[in-house]
Every structure is written in structure tokens, then in C-alpha cells.
């Protein structure tokens, strides 16, 4: 036993057999970077393409340096950068929820900066930048974290840099550590924050009057950071949806084996339904709710329940007493009547905070202050949902939607409705919420390669003297092209918490997108009989390893699911 | 897009890229079966080893034919069976909860029976046998289901064949379809049922006075069907624990990335803690509860809560505000005071069923009929736990333990205790129950190869004229040896529902087993700091594909985690 227990000891601290093997996996690079083993930085040049939003004028007024410098033009690779500077000191940080591939962004950055420049890790997230918590990242660190999941190498947090004091601290951190550039790896909010930071640090930071460059890298498992062909998908989405896809496929297989259960599965992804749609395309379950479709059709909760109950009844009529229902995390807020109720609740709670806190019967207190329709809707909901609807708001005064057990609510309502239709219809259901399991898994080959090349792109942008861009890699089914998106070209103005704010709009599922149209074309068939498939565990080796997300392939007009970088 | 949507259409009904690829994966066979592509049936001979339990005499009296024929001797392979009969008609069925690899048992059976014999599938489970629902399994079926997860090819159910009428129906099914042998793929109860069936069908079934052979195959993800070196593990355990292991590894990685959450994860596995122990050995989390240890130490619920709360506080003292707690599904019943409470509740509910049903305040009704200590314990539990403790019993009058949200109970009690210790200790926790996700995943290479060889063994036993045995493959790290365990050699008498029943005892975790000892030797270190590793998604190709369960490797004295069949 001693040999084996020695081996087990060596597996502690990220040295499972899988983790050790995956570190040795070679990563392909876009042709623009030259050799895969020793990738070179590329130089960039403005492509003809210029971005802009309806709020372009106000953006230009608020981000004068950035807009003047970039002209909001998309950058394309223009050959290897033979004049890359030396001695650059670059800081990198994670911002927001973790997503698979983050470590490889850091690895790509380190490799392209090479031994002539210095890379610092900021720990954890924007908070670490404010506090000045930096450490030098070594080659040994890179060899250790490459191809592993999670953000644990640097940690992450959700601090938004917005007060004058916070900006001053960031400037101090840069000065104290002679930082020349910052790479922010994050979602829509974090990239908006990167744009603000880029403008703030554009010049006059250092003694010689120069500034600090800021580059964003697009991360989010939610898939709601998409910019057409320029950013077909953020990193982490593929890994998360393949993890959820495997679990849903396993459960589908279980329904047809056990022959007696329905499973209602809620999937992470905040507002947009991209995750749910991708998992549905992978697995083909009986029922898939899409929040954006519910909003467009203005469906009521009762109508959704009726649709599910009818589908259950039809299947039972064919002897199929089982099935799977996929539910997007944010669906509640897309049901118009629920959205109206939640909005009025937010108002009532904000305006009567003290009285509400003191009220003995909170539901009654609130009901008395709601309009009649909303009071009736609230009264129709089970106690555990009312409790969550009245629970503490987040720091922005918003309901924490993920805490509402939508999957249990739907099970209970469908069960009650089936009792009305026909008390003999068998209906036994289990609930699941798949979320945290998907954020920190080992990256798929797609995410591993994509993020490594995002890191190479971000590093190249820094060595090319750019600031205020988001790194991207396009043409993921045709070799991959490093590009840069001017962050100011993405900004819109949105009213949040009573004041105008610049934001990168979240990309919702478009009803007319090829992926949604494909789902709509097959959904009825999947409800009528078991046509599901099981995507299986994601493979890093062998014939099943090179798949990109189905929705991304459909929306980008790819001819197959195979991605191709390099 | 048309090319891609055509490809997507073809992926429906179990044709994902993974499923298509995995069907072509070659499977190794034990040397005893000769060639891997055309495996030959083996003949068997009694080894010197004879099994028996304390109730051997009563078993011999109740199973006279079986015991006389087998002498309770373990069988070992004795060369290729060159005299294998032709024209045998064999029925195979799944019994109980699904487990990965079941399809490969059927594939192995079909391959070893070859074209000269006929294999029938029974659909679904024992119920299908009673109803006579059989269909012939073809080579095309085998090519379709090989290496895929779940039991959906045949379906399964939990019917226990026990009444005279049921036995008569089974006999009728055999006669009507001229069945010569039945293979029951199931857990401890199903194999007990197989022993009873083997005795009942031993002779005098057919016109010529001959009987119907019955062979069991050891399945269960719970891992509680183990017989020393003769059956180091049942099939399905490896796949389930690797699925849970990946999820737990992902969540561990998330805790160290997000730096602010505890995750309390309950793991399927009914009574025994094998699943939880294996997942702990794979991932090395901060805290692992083992039911058998709690029972042995006679720990109270309060003591368990105190232990977790202290561990949380110690980590917070080091700046580690996160961690993972693994909880075996059945832990509640192993806490002596809870076990006593549940037993008394079962009694009260059984004896006052009508009054209880009519009672308005059920908790008060019950509390008035409990002994004082139990009433006090019940009163100390949160309402949602009391509700589950008073919920409907299963058909045996037992509490449905899996419905009790032990993970939430522990979170709430730990939170309350931490408030007492120091209100400033940060503690935010999420709950998970990993269960159904793990039963029907695609089998690991270990389970795929193991089950295929179990099928070859079961078929060989039939062609060798044997009945009343469980097929097994031993020496899984040294090439694999097909063997047969006489079912009557495993039977004990247990008092269930007021009467004596023959049972195969569930194997619980032994405190002095090498696996448990290893866990105990490392657990304090894993609590003190993050030493976890992430086992990653199970691989079917590449350098990380050939791992056996860690607990099995430790308990069987293997020198490495690599299994070796063939």
C-alpha cells in the first residue's frame, strides 16, 4: 500500500492524474502568432470597420482620449511585431464570477510578453488592484496552472472601481509598481469598467506624462457578451454548457431507464437564455423554456404551466411517464406579470424599508401596498416563493433572482394543474439547479485554445501600445484571427438606479437567430417522443475533443461543430 | 447552415459525437476468454474456496438444490469451454436503480453466447419478467448500445418477485418463451431475489423436468455490494463517483476562486458511505462526514455541528473563508439519537395512522406520543426537517431518508452555532445533492471493460450449465480473472418488517479498511488548508483514462490506480 499512498499524497494540491496529464496538452495558436511553441506578438492595424452605438456622441464626449486614439475602429493583426518593446510591466486580474480558461489567458499573456517583460498577478480581482496586492508571475506558475480550471491562481472579486478614491488608489498601485498596462479579464460590467479605467489612465499617470494601457478580455459563462462575428462567444461558455450538457444528458438517460420521473432542471446564466438554449441543442429534452421567447409572447405564469402540463399529459397518453424540462435561471423576470410584480415589490420595499422590517406579517404588509393585480398574483404563489420575493435585495436594491426556486414552483404548479386535468396522470418530479458546478471545471479544448490565444492577443495589444480595447479571436472554425474591439464602440447609456450609466448591453437570445430557429424547428418533435442524445463528459483527447458550442456554430454559419485554431 | 443542421438531426436518438465515437472504443477481455475480438466462453471448476455465513444451516435447508449443487464453492475459470451447448435461450433484465455499464453486461452476454444461442431482453426489469415482455436482442442492438450509459435499452424497475402468483408468472414466461436461463443485473436485494429464483426454478420447470438457470450480476453505484477480494466493487460505482468527483472538484476550485463560499454537498449512496469516501479520496475536501464513523463514535447531531463549526472557525482564522463539506446521503440514520427518534416516529406513525392523518397539528400530535428525549430532539429541529420526518413512509413503513435536506439542516445549524461562537465569522453556504446525475452517465473505461467481462462471465456460466451464482471478475489490477460466487454462500437472515428474510448483507465502510485509514490519516491536513485536487471529467481516450476507484485500489492492495484487464 505504501507505493499507492505515496502516489495519492503527490496528487494533493492540483496534481490529480487528469491535472498532471492536461498540463502537457499542446495548445494550437492562430497562424498570425507564428510558431505554436514560441508564439510571437503581432502588430495591429485599423481595419475598415468602425463600431458605434446610438449613444456615440455622449460616449465620445465622456471618453475623448480613447475615442480620438482608436476612432472606434476594429483592429486586425498586421504581421509579427518585430519592434515590440522590452521592459513592460503588466498586471492581470480576474473580475466577476469564475469561468473556465481564465488561467490560459494568463498563460498566453506570459508567453507572448516573454522574458523581456514582467507579468504581475493581482490578487484578488479589482479589490486587489485598489489595495495594490501584486506578485510576479513566473514561468513555473504558468507550467502549473496551464489548462486547469477556475480562477484560483489569482482569485476574483466583484468590486466595481467607481469612486474617486478608488481611481486614486489604482493610480497609486500603478505608480508604486511601475505598471505600464493592466489586463482585465471579465464580463460586460468588467469590460465597461475597463473602458472607464482606460480613459482615466490614458495619460499623465507617470512622471513622464505617459499613461497606463488597459485591455479587456471577454469572459462569462452566461454567453451574454457577444458582438456578432467580432465576438461569437465569451470564454467559459463552452465549458460550462458542456458540463451542464453532460449532466442533463445523464439525467435524460436516467428518465428513460427509470421510466417514472420528470426532472425540472434550472440552469445558471442570469438574464439571457444562451446557456439553456445551448444545453437544449446538445441534449434535445422534451421541454425547453426560453426567457426571451416568453417575454416576446408576453406569456403568463399560468400559460407556461399550462403548456408544460399539456406536454406531460400528451406524453403520458403515449406511455411516456418521464421527461426533462430545462429552465433558464432568470425566467421569472421575463414573465411580464412577474416582472411587474417584482418591480412594484422593489419599489414598496425601497420606500417602506423600516416599516417592512418591523412588520410582523410581511406578506400582508406588502400586499396592502400593491396594486390589485399584483396583490392577487402574489397571493396565488406558494409561501416559499413569497418568502424569496420579499427577501433581502442585493446592494443595488434588486431581487436576487437565483434564490427563487423557479424549478420547484413550476413542479408544484404543474402538479396542481395536472390534478385538475386528470387526477390519474402520473407525475413524479425532481428538481435541480446546475450552476456552480460549471464555472470552474477544467476547460474544454475549445476554451483552452481560445483563451490561450486571447492571452496572446491581449499581450500583443499591449506590446503594440494599444489601450481601451477588448481582445478577441474571430473565425474560430477557420484557423482563428486575433483582433481588437474598441471598448468605446460598444458603450450605450442605460438608466440604472436612477442615473445614467455607460454599459455594454447584455446580448439576449435573438428570436430570429439561426440557433433559436433551429431549436424552434425541433422542439415539438423532442416533446412528442424521446429523441435526446447524451453529449458525454468533455474529452481532452481522442475523436470527440474538438467541438465548439452548437449555438455558436449555427449562429456563425459554420459547416460543422469542429473548431479550428491554427 | 444546411450541412450543420443535417449533422445535428443525425445526432438525435443517442448519436452525439461522443456516443458515436465511444461505440468504436475497443474493449479488453481477460486472458481466460482468449481473443478480445472473438471472446470464447470459459468452463468453470470449483476452487478450493467455500463460502458460508452464520446462518448457513438455515440457508441449506431453504435452498437445498442450490446448496447441494454448488457446495457453496467459488468457481474459477478452467480453460475455454469447447463443449459449449448450442440453442440456449437466455433472458436478461435490469433490476433496481440504473448504473453505468449495464449495457455492456448485455453486450458481453450477447457476444459470448454468439450466433448459436439466442438472447432476449426483458422490459422493464422484474415486472417485465412477470408480464412476459421479452424481445430478441440483435447484433445491431449491441452495436448501438455498447459503451453507452444508463439502462434505457431495457428499462428497469424495482419489483421484488415474492408472491406465489409472481413466481408462477415467471415460470409461465419461461415456458412460453422456452427460456433456459435468466440473467439478473442488480444490487444486493436483486441478487438475493436471483438466489430465490434460482432455487425455485432449479428443476421441474420444463416438460423434460429440467430447470431454468439463474445468474446474478453485481450492480450498484452505492458500492455496498462488496465481497472482499471476490468482489472488490460492484459496477457503476466507478462512473458515479468519478462524475460526483468531477463536480466536487469543480466546486472546490470555485471556492478557492470566489473566496467567499462554503458548499455542503450531499452524495447519493443510501446507507453506506463508500461513495462519499471515494469522492473524498479523489478530491481532498476540508470536511468529510462518514456515517459509519459517526455511528461508531456515537456522535450526536450537536457534536457533528460543533466539529464543522470549529473547522470553519479555524480556517477563517487563517483567512480561508471557504471550503467544502461532503455528506453521505444516509448520515441521519447513523446518528444514534436521530436513529432512535426515527425508529420511535416510525412506530408512532404505524400505530396511530388514522389519528395522525386527521390531526391538525401533526408535530404536536406526534410529540405528545414520543418519549421525552425524542420529543425534545424533535422540537430542536427546524420546521422543514420536522415536516420531512413526519412525511409519508415508503411501502416498507420506512422514512425516505433521501428526502431529508440534511445538507440544509447542517448549514442552518452550523450558521447558528457560529453566531454563538463569534458573530463576525463570515459564513455563506450553498447546498447541493448529487445523485441522479451519476447513475446514467457513460461508463468510465474501468466500468466499460469490467461490465463487458462480467457479461462474458455470466454467459460463460450459463453455457457451463451453472445456476445460482453471481458472476464476478477479480484481480482487476492484474489482468482480471472471471469467477463465480455461489449466491447461497452470501445469504444471512435478517428481521425485516417483523419477519425473517434472507438477505445479502450490505457492506458498510469498515473503520479499519486501508481506504478509511488513509482518509483518517489525511483529513486533518485537508481541513487545515486547501490541499484539494480536481479529478477532471472522466476520459475515455488519452493518458488519464485508465483509473480505478481509489478506495478499491487501496482496499485491494494495488500498487497504482491503473486497472488492468487483459
Amino acid at each position: 500500500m505504501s507505493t499507492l499512498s505515496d502516489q495519492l499524497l503527490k496528487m494533493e494540491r492540483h496534481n490529480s492524474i487528469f491535472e498532471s496529464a492536461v498540463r502537457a496538452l499542446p495548445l494550437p495558436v492562430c497562424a498570425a502568432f507564428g510558431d505554436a511553441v514560441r508564439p510571437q506578438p503581432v502588430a495591429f492595424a485599423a481595419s475598415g470597420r468602425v463600431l458605434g452605438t446610438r449613444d456615440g456622441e455622449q460616449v465620445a464626449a465622456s471618453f475623448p482620449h480613447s475615442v480620438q486614439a482608436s476612432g472606434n475602429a476594429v483592429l486586425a493583426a498586421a504581421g509579427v511585431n518585430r519592434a515590440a518593446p522590452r521592459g513592460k510591466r503588466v498586471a492581470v486580474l480576474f473580475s466577476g464570477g469564475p469561468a473556465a480558461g481564465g488561467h490560459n489567458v494568463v498563460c498566453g499573456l506570459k508567453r507572448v510578453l516573454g522574458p523581456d517583460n514582467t507579468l504581475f498577478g493581482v490578487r484578488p480581482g479589482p479589490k486587489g488592484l485598489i489595495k495594490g496586492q501584486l506578485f510576479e508571475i513566473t514561468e513555473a506558475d504558468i507550467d502549473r496552472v496551464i489548462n486547469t480550471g477556475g480562477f484560483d491562481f489569482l482569485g476574483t472579486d466583484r468590486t466595481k472601481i467607481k469612486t474617486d478614491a478608488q481611481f486614486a488608489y489604482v493610480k497609486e498601485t500603478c505608480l508604486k509598481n511601475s505598471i505600464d498596462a493592466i489586463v482585465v479579464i471579465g464580463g460586460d460590467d468588467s469590460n465597461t469598467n475597463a473602458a472607464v479605467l482606460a480613459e482615466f489612465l490614458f495619460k499623465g499617470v507617470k512622471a513622464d506624462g505617459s499613461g497606463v494601457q488597459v485591455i479587456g478580455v471577454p469572459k462569462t459563462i452566461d454567453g451574454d457578451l457577444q458582438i456578432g462575428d467580432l465576438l461569437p462567444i465569451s470564454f467559459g461558455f463552452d465549458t460550462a454548457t458542456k458540463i451542464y450538457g453532460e449532466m442533463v444528458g445523464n439525467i435524460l438517460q436516467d428518465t428513460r431507464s427509470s421510466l417514472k420521473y420528470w426532472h425540472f432542471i434550472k440552469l445558471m446564466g442570469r438574464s439571457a437564455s444562451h446557456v439553456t438554449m445551448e444545453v437544449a441543442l446538445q441534449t434535445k429534452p422534451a421541454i425547453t423554456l426560453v426567457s426571451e421567447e416568453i417575454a416576446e409572447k408576453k406569456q403568463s405564469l399560468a400559460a407556461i404551466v399550462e403548456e408544460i402540463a399539456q406536454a406531460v399529459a400528451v406524453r403520458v397518453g403515449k406511455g411516456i411517464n418521464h421527461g426533462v424540462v430545462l429552465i433558464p435561471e432568470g425566467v421569472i423576470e421575463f414573465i411580464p406579470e412577474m416582472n411587474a410584480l417584482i418591480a412594484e415589490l422593489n419599489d414598496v420595499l425601497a420606500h417602506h424599508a423600516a416599516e417592512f422590517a418591523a412588520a410582523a406579517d410581511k406578506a400582508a404588509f406588502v400586499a396592502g401596498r400593491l396594486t390589485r393585480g399584483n396583490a392577487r398574483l402574489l397571493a396565488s404563489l406558494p409561501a416559499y416563493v413569497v418568502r424569496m420575493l420579499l427577501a433581502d435585495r442585493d446592494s443595488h436594491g434588486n431581487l436576487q433572482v437565483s434564490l427563487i426556486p423557479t424549478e420547484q414552483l413550476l413542479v408544484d404548479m404543474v402538479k396542481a394543474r395536472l390534478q385538475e386535468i386528470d387526477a390519474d396522470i402520473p407525475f413524479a418530479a425532481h428538481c435541480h439547479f446546475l450552476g456552480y458546478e460549471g464555472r470552474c471545471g477544467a476547460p474544454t479544448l475549445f476554451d483552452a485554445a481560445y483563451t490561450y490565444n486571447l492571452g496572446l492577443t491581449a499581450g500583443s495589444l499591449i506590446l503594440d501600445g494599444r489601450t481601451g480595447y477588448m481582445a478577441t479571436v474571430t473565425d474560430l472554425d477557420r484557423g482563428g484571427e486575433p483582433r481588437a474591439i474598441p471598448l468605446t464602440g460598444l458603450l450605450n447609456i442605460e438608466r440604472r438606479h436612477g442615473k445614467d450609466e455607460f454599459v455594454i448591453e447584455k446580448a439576449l437570445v435573438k428570436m430570429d437567430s439561426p440557433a433559436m430557429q433551429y431549436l424552434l424547428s425541433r422542439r415539438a418533435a423532442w416533446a412528442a417522443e424521446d429523441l435526446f442524445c447524451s453529449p458525454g463528459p468533455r474529452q481532452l483527447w481522442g475523436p470527440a475533443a474538438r467541438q465548439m458550442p452548437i449555438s455558436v456554430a449555427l449562429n456563425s454559419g459554420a459547416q460543422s461543430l469542429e473548431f479550428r485554431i491554427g
Side-chain angles (χ1 to χ4, degrees), chain A residues 71-93:
Chain A
N72 281 339
V74 173
L75 303 182
V80 166
N81 185 354
R82 310 225 174 261
R86 298 174 169 214
K88 284 245 185 193
R89 295 166 66 88
V90 181
V92 59
L93 61 92

Side-chain angles (χ1 to χ4, degrees), chain A residues 341-364:
Chain A
L341 170 62
I342 291 168
E344 197 177 12
L345 282 175
N346 285 346
D347 256 14
V348 169
L349 265 59
H351 290 110
H352 303 276
E355 296 159 80
F356 176 76
D361 185 341
K362 297 194 189 298

Side-chain angles (χ1 to χ4, degrees), chain A residues 397-414:
Chain A
N398 290 325
L399 179 70
Q400 294 178 272
V401 181
S402 70
L403 297 181
I404 298 180
T406 324
E407 64 282 25
Q408 188 64 55
L409 173 66
L410 287 172
V411 164
D412 291 343
M413 293 183 76
V414 167

Side-chain angles (χ1 to χ4, degrees), chain A residues 29 138 302 376 427:
Chain A
V29 304
T138 64
R376 201 159 40 209
F427 180 71

Side-chain angles (χ1 to χ4, degrees), chain A residues 496-517:
Chain A
R496 282 190 184 176
H497 328 310
K499 57 176 188 164
D500 285 344
E501 282 191 19
F502 289 105
V503 299
I504 298 173
E505 269 182 7
K506 279 190 198 304
L508 298 181
V509 169
K510 292 196 183 77
M511 290 300 292
D512 60 357
S513 64
M516 184 66 195
Q517 289 297 311

Side-chain angles (χ1 to χ4, degrees), chain A residues 62-137:
Chain A
S62 297
F63 298 80
H65 305 109
S66 303
V67 173
Q68 206 181 349
S70 73
N72 281 339
V74 173
L75 303 182
V80 166
N81 185 354
R82 310 225 174 261
R86 298 174 169 214
K88 284 245 185 193
R89 295 166 66 88
V90 181
V92 59
L93 61 92
F94 296 128
S95 178
H103 288 167
N104 278 17
V105 176
V106 178
C107 296
L109 256 177
K110 174 77 182 166
R111 291 269 168 84
V112 81
L113 291 174
D116 297 334
N117 302 286
T118 312
L119 182 63
F120 295 90
V122 182
R123 206 181 150 85
K127 188 167 68 185
L129 195 60
I130 291 167
K131 294 191 170 181
Q133 293 167 177
L134 276 62
F135 70 99
E136 191 180 332
I137 295 175

Side-chain angles (χ1 to χ4, degrees), chain A residues 386-519:
Chain A
V386 173
R387 201 156 47 234
M388 299 318 302
L389 286 173
L390 301 181
D392 289 343
R393 265 43 189 169
D394 69 13
S395 53
H396 304 303
N398 290 325
L399 179 70
Q400 294 178 272
V401 181
S402 70
L403 297 181
I404 298 180
T406 324
E407 64 282 25
Q408 188 64 55
L409 173 66
L410 287 172
V411 164
D412 291 343
M413 293 183 76
V414 167
K415 190 178 276 178
R417 180 67 189 118
L418 284 170
Q419 279 291 313
E420 292 171 9
I421 297 173
D422 178 352
D424 290 336
I425 293 176
F427 180 71
H430 291 281
C431 289
H432 307 260
F433 172 41
L434 300 179
Y436 292 95
E437 298 88 339
R439 311 196 308 176
C440 288
T444 57
L445 213 51
F446 174 83
D447 267 331
Y450 179 34
T451 49
Y452 185 65
N453 281 272
L454 283 172
L456 296 178
T457 305
S460 295
L461 284 164
I462 290 165
L463 295 176
D464 201 37
R466 310 287 178 164
T467 187
Y469 291 89
M470 184 196 289
T472 185
V473 177
T474 65
D475 302 87
L476 295 165
D477 58 330
R478 291 188 301 275
E481 288 292 338
R483 289 184 207 271
I485 300 170
L487 285 166
T488 47
L490 304 176
L491 297 180
N492 275 297
I493 293 173
E494 208 176 274
R495 204 152 177 89
R496 282 190 184 176
H497 328 310
K499 57 176 188 164
D500 285 344
E501 282 191 19
F502 289 105
V503 299
I504 298 173
E505 269 182 7
K506 279 190 198 304
L508 298 181
V509 169
K510 292 196 183 77
M511 290 300 292
D512 60 357
S513 64
M516 184 66 195
Q517 289 297 311
Y518 185 83
L519 177 68

